[in-house]
Amino acid sequence: DDYRIIGGYAQGKFAISDKLDLVLAGRYDTFNFMDEGFLSPRVAVVYKPSPKHTFRASYNRASTPQSSLQQNIDFPVASPVPGLFDLWLLGTKEPQTWTNPVIDITVPGVPDLPVGTPGLPLAIPYALVTPGVIEAISPIFISNPALAPLLQPIIDYLSSNPPAGFTGTFEGRNIFNNLPLNDLVPTEGPQLTKTNAYEVGYKGLIGDKLGVTLDIYTNETTGFTLFTAVGPTISLNNPNIAGDLSAAVTAGLTDFLTNTIGLDAATAAQLAGTIGGGYATAGALVDEQISPLYGIFGVIESDQNPKGDGIAHVPIGYRSFADASFDYWGTDLGLEYYVDSDLSVFFNYSWLSQTDWVPGEDNDDGLPFRFTLNTPKNKYRIGLRYIPQSGFNSTISFQHDDSFYADFGQFAGDTDVKNLIDASFGYQFDNGLSINLTANNLFNNEYRAFPKFPKIGRRVLVKLMYNFGS
C-alpha cells in the first residue's frame, strides 16, 4: 500500500557574538495516509566561554507517525495452540469493529456461544457424554426384568432433556497483561505522536584531565498508539463439570421417575443417583480432556478477523489515544578521567524521573491505560580504557540496569536486573593490522532482555582488521 511522508527542512546558524550562537531549524511534513500536516521547530542556544567548555539550551517539537507496517499488518503473530488458537494482528488502516459478536470457543466441536453467557452451559458436556452413559447403563436394565421396562422411558428422557444451568464462570481478559477486558470498543485510525522536549547541557574538559558531559531534559508526549489486545480472551474459571452435571441430572431424573413414571421416592432417588454417578464419571473425563484450554476457552473475534476456518483468533492491534499525555524528565552524566594519553577511567549514568504510568496511582498523569517507556529508571557504566596508538590495548567495564516493567504485547512483565562485566583485548601492529577479542557478559550471567525472550549469555567476537595506507 502507498505510504508517503512529504516534507521540507530548513536550518540556520547565527553568530550572536564570538562566544554565542543561535541555531534555528524547522521541518514541515505531510502524510498521505492521514489528513494532517505537522510543523516541527527547533531552537538552540550554544555558549562557548572557552574552547574547553560549551553550554547549550534547546527546545524541540517533533512528531512520530505510525509506520507502514503498523498500518497495514494483517496476519497472526503468534499461535499458542496451532490450528485452534492464535493472535491476529490487524493494523490501523481500518478500525476493528463488532457486529453481532459471539464467543468463539477453542474446544473442537463445541458451538459458539452468545456474548454474555455466564459460564459453560451444562447442556454442552451433557450432549458429549449422554450417548456413552446410555450405552453403559443399558445392560444393567436389560439384565434385570424389574428394571427393563424403565430403560426406554429413561433413554427418551435423557435424550430430550438436557439440564439447564452452567458450570464455572466466563471472564474476559486482555491476553497480554491479564487485566479484565469485557467491553467491545472499536479501534481508530492512524495518528501522530507529538513530543515537546526541553534540554540544557554542558560539555567540557576540566584541568586537562576530567572530561564532563551533562544533559538535563524534559519530555512531554501527547497522542499514543498502544499495542494491545482489542478483544477479550475468555477464560473458564472454577468449572466443576463432574459435580454440577451429576447434580443436575440426578435432580431432574429423580423428579421424572417420581412424578412421571410413578416410582416411589426411595427407588427413584437410588436409580437417579446411580445414573447421575455415570454422568459424574463421564464428566470427569471431559474435564480432563479440555482443562488445558480453560485459560483460553474462547475469543470474541472482531468483524475483521478471518471467519469459518475453525481457529479462534484473538483480535490484537493498536488503540489510539489522541489526547492522552504524559511527561517526565531525566539526566545523563558522563565522566572520563585521563590518567595519561593512553589510559582513562570512565563513568556514565542515566536517570529518569518515571518510566511506568499505572492508572489510579498519584503519578499516572491521567492516562487511561498502563504505559511504560520500556527502559530502566537507573543505569550506569564504569570502566577502564587502555588504548595506545600501537601495541596492546584493553577495555574492561561493569554495566548495571535496573529491572523495569516492560510492555511488548505477550512479552509483558518485569525484566531481569543486569549486572554484567564486559571486556576487550587487542593488539595494534605497526603495519596497519589489528586484532581484537571482545567478550560481552564475560562471566556468563544469563538474563532476558524482556520477559519470555531467549536468555542471553556470554557473547564473544574476534575481529581482524587491516588499514591500507598511512
Side-chain angles (χ1 to χ4, degrees):
D1 290 308
D2 190 22
Y3 177 93
R4 295 194 309 274
I5 302 175
I6 302 174
Y9 177 80
Q11 177 173 315
K13 181 178 180 181
F14 305 91
I16 306 301
S17 69
D18 291 342
K19 298 180 179 180
L20 184 64
D21 291 333
L22 174 66
V23 179
L24 299 176
R27 177 187 178 100
Y28 186 81
D29 296 292
T30 59
F31 310 93
N32 74 320
F33 48 87
M34 55 191 304
D35 186 20
E36 187 171 356
F38 193 82
L39 176 64
S40 302
R42 183 174 186 271
V43 181
V45 178
V46 181
Y47 176 62
K48 299 184 69 174
S50 71
K52 295 181 180 180
H53 303 280
T54 301
F55 298 87
R56 67 184 183 281
S58 66
Y59 163 75
N60 184 59
R61 182 171 181 251
S63 66
T64 305
Q66 292 178 356
S67 67
S68 177
L69 179 64
Q70 284 180 310
Q71 292 186 63
N72 298 298
I73 192 169
D74 187 8
F75 59 79
V77 294
S79 297
V81 187
L84 291 180
F85 178 87
D86 64 27
L87 281 63
W88 194 282
L89 176 57
L90 186 70
T92 58
K93 186 176 181 180
E94 58 177 319
Q96 296 201 57
T97 57
W98 285 267
T99 304
N100 301 320
V102 296
I103 302 175
D104 188 350
I105 303 300
T106 58
V107 180
V110 176
D112 296 342
L113 298 172
V115 172
T117 302
L120 177 64
L122 287 173
I124 290 177
Y126 181 86
L128 295 174
V129 304
T130 292
V133 172
I134 291 175
E135 183 178 357
I137 66 173
S138 294
I140 299 174
F141 283 81
I142 293 173
S143 63
N144 189 330
L147 298 178
L150 299 175
L151 177 59
Q152 192 57 50
I154 290 176
I155 291 176
D156 293 341
Y157 172 83
L158 295 177
S159 300
S160 57
N161 289 276
F166 305 88
T167 185
T169 56
F170 284 154
E171 184 176 20
R173 290 276 173 177
N174 184 320
I175 194 171
F176 288 161
N177 55 29
N178 204 37
L179 294 175
L181 177 59
N182 293 291
D183 296 332
L184 304 178
V185 181
T187 60
E188 300 178 3
Q191 66 167 37
L192 295 177
T193 297
K194 305 167 185 178
T195 302
N196 290 306
Y198 298 86
E199 180 180 359
V200 294
Y202 165 78
K203 182 177 182 180
L205 184 64
I206 300 174
D208 293 330
K209 285 289 188 179
L210 180 63
V212 179
T213 60
L214 176 64
D215 292 292
I216 301 173
Y217 57 90
T218 179
N219 283 339
E220 180 186 74
T221 301
T222 302
F224 293 90
T225 301
L226 181 67
F227 173 56
T228 186
V230 299
T233 300
I234 307 298
S235 61
L236 178 59
N237 299 332
N238 303 314
N240 183 9
I241 295 177
D244 292 340
L245 188 59
S246 175
V249 170
T250 299
L253 192 55
T254 298
D255 180 73
F256 170 73
L257 292 174
T258 302
N259 298 316
T260 301
I261 301 300
L263 292 180
D264 62 272
T267 303
Q270 182 181 8
L271 191 55
T274 300
I275 296 174
Y279 275 90
T281 301
L285 293 175
V286 171
D287 177 81
E288 181 180 349
Q289 292 172 350
I290 68 175
S291 59
L293 296 175
Y294 283 165
I296 51 172
F297 200 76
V299 168
I300 302 180
E301 298 179 334
S302 72
D303 296 338
Q304 288 69 36
N305 289 138
K307 300 293 189 294
D309 57 4
I311 301 176
H313 305 286
V314 180
I316 63 175
Y318 304 91
R319 287 210 175 276
S320 299
F321 300 87
D323 299 325
S325 65
F326 73 93
D327 62 82
Y328 65 94
W329 66 284
T331 183
D332 295 325
L333 172 66
L335 302 172
E336 186 159 12
Y337 183 79
Y338 300 94
V339 179
D340 55 34
S341 60
D342 299 334
L343 180 65
S344 65
V345 181
F346 64 89
F347 174 77
N348 300 315
Y349 175 69
S350 294
W351 174 83
L352 295 171
S353 62
Q354 188 172 350
T355 61
D356 190 16
W357 287 257
V358 180
E361 295 186 353
D362 293 340
N363 57 351
D364 65 0
D365 286 349
L367 293 184
F369 54 89
R370 185 170 189 175
F371 177 77
T372 175
L373 295 179
N374 290 317
T375 193
K377 190 171 184 178
N378 294 278
K379 61 181 179 180
Y380 60 84
R381 308 288 186 267
I382 186 169
L384 185 71
R385 275 193 279 255
Y386 177 70
I387 307 179
Q389 290 188 350
S390 63
F392 173 79
N393 58 77
S394 177
T395 299
I396 186 167
S397 64
F398 171 78
Q399 58 170 303
H400 166 85
D401 285 1
D402 285 353
S403 173
F404 60 92
Y405 179 80
D407 187 2
F408 280 117
Q410 64 266 43
F411 306 108
D414 292 324
T415 65
D416 293 339
V417 176
K418 288 172 61 178
N419 290 299
L420 310 177
I421 299 291
D422 301 327
S424 68
F425 305 92
Y427 194 89
Q428 176 70 52
F429 296 92
D430 293 334
N431 60 1
L433 179 67
S434 64
I435 185 170
N436 183 265
L437 173 67
T438 300
N440 298 109
N441 190 6
L442 178 64
F443 295 108
N444 199 34
N445 183 15
E446 292 187 338
Y447 68 96
R448 300 182 193 272
F450 295 100
K452 303 178 185 177
F453 270 38
K455 286 186 176 181
I456 300 174
R458 182 189 301 112
R459 290 170 292 170
V460 178
L461 175 66
V462 178
K463 183 168 61 176
L464 185 67
M465 294 181 60
Y466 183 81
N467 290 323
F468 295 90
S470 60

